[in-house]
Amino acid sequence: MESPYFRLEIRGFSDCLPTWFPTESAGFLFPRLTEKVPRAMVILNNYLERKLFMEYTSLSQALDALENLQHTMAAYNHAIGMLSNDAATAAPAESWEGRGKTLEVLTKYCYDLSVDPQNGILYDYLSAHASELTPIQARELEVLRKDYDRTCRIPAQEYIDYNTLLNEADTVWHRAKQENDFASFAPYLEKIVFYCRKFAGYYNPQMAPYNALLNEYEEGMNTETLDVFFAKLRETIVPLVERISAAPQIDDSFLFRHYPLEQQRAFSTYLMETMGIDRNRCTIAETEHPFTNNFNNRDVRITTHYFEDNLVSNMYSVIHEGGHALYELGADDCYNYTVLSGGVSMGIHESQSRFYENIIGRSRAFVHAVFPYLKAHFPRQLADVTEDTFYRAVNKSQPSLVRTEADELTYCLHIMVRYEIEKQLIDGSLEVRDLPRKWNELYKAYLGVDVPSDRQGCLQDSHWSFGGIGYFPSYALGSAYGAQMLACMEKDIPDVFGPVAQGDLSQVTSWLRSHIHHWASFQKPGALFREVCGEFDPSYYTDYLTKKYTALYRL
């Protein structure tokens, strides 16, 4: 029986067409499949001339099509996102194969929708009427056109195969981490690195591959800027860490007593309420590596991981992911179900999560607000602990192995390790098989610690398993962005931390909502940051760290 669809495989323009064409087109195209590209382009023009694609006759018609397209894209992304969330929080360990088949189908439809030539016609029509578009419509068009041009350069099968690979890689990574088995994950990471190098050329052929990947997470970023940024951080952090190591050390041993999981779960609920997170719009689940999923400003999912012998791991995980959630929940309704929904970049996103986690969550004011709850619910564990002792303990600086458990001062050294490794993986100077050795060398050089296992070393993060090469620098940028935002906030709010000490974060969140959250992805990250804070200046961050840790350790 003849298939109801016909596969188009003409090199030169097939990547810009839907994966499947209706049967009635087969008789027209089939005799010419082996002809050269110029002739194939004539065939495509004939298609257009035969009006197999819609032509727009009014702006309102085109805008309706734009809205419908974005709603359809949002629906597919919602479905794929739910599968991803379920995989990391609730799905059985052996469910990866069935989920992979579902993702393969959904990914194909997403690809076809993204590269449909009808979209190109729509974008051309709207571009010709650019002066009649609202600022939001113009920005939607800009984002969609950029994505269309980029995705058209990616062959359909590569796009589908890569997303299928990531589903499998995530499952293998979870098992490899638990079993301390880097060798089982390495073949998947090799394929991911291969695809990232290749896709970098599709994303932005004019850029160096790693710069193209960085731009997927922070538009406008490059290694030249980051090299200077990280060099400045090292100039401040390394000498400060050395001075701290020579000072009397802070005792934080009480944080690692036995803290029952059920009481920690109740504490998570308390923290979310204190942060002002609407529990009717945001849930919390448990996973191996905490993350946040956002679908719209009425549906955000955060996750955490509990350790019975570590109280603050979950505490600051919830506050960090809660910061991400507040960003998404604070976006204006008008951006829901459009390409402008959600945070504009990972650097800006991490500025919010790390602002709440560190600048607010590790402040004396916040500790003052939550310490009575902790004393009441963990009376035996904290019987001999004062508020000041707790504050000093949660801010203790000591080189460590695990990024997510790192203190605020040494955290960026962890990011620098990953940044150096990613650059070398992408430029080919480091092979995946040598990654554990390189990781261990850099941890010794940057943090002075010996890595006892890959579980505590190169397998600790989930990012590479989901293809997130280029993501890590966003954490350091976000930390620095947050310090500069605090300086700007204090100009508008003379007493930022007074209400925080009473457990009221509303004025902090209100300022961030009006300046950052409200706008979702309406503005590009650089433009948004400059409008709020002026030109980016890392010295705000280094000054913040120096002042805080000099006082903490009485240097």
Side-chain angles (χ1 to χ4, degrees), residues 258-268 286 305-310 314 378:
H258 180 74
Y259 292 88
L261 296 187
E262 283 308 313
Q263 289 167 253
Q264 287 199 56
R265 291 186 179 105
F267 184 39
S268 296
E286 297 173 35
H305 189 100
Y306 295 101
F307 297 95
E308 287 187 309
D309 59 353
N310 189 335
N314 164 66
F378 299 102

Side-chain angles (χ1 to χ4, degrees), residues 241-256:
V241 170
E242 291 174 351
R243 291 172 65 196
I244 288 172
S245 67
Q249 295 304 292
I250 293 172
D251 180 13
D252 65 345
S253 59
F254 64 87
L255 296 176
F256 305 98

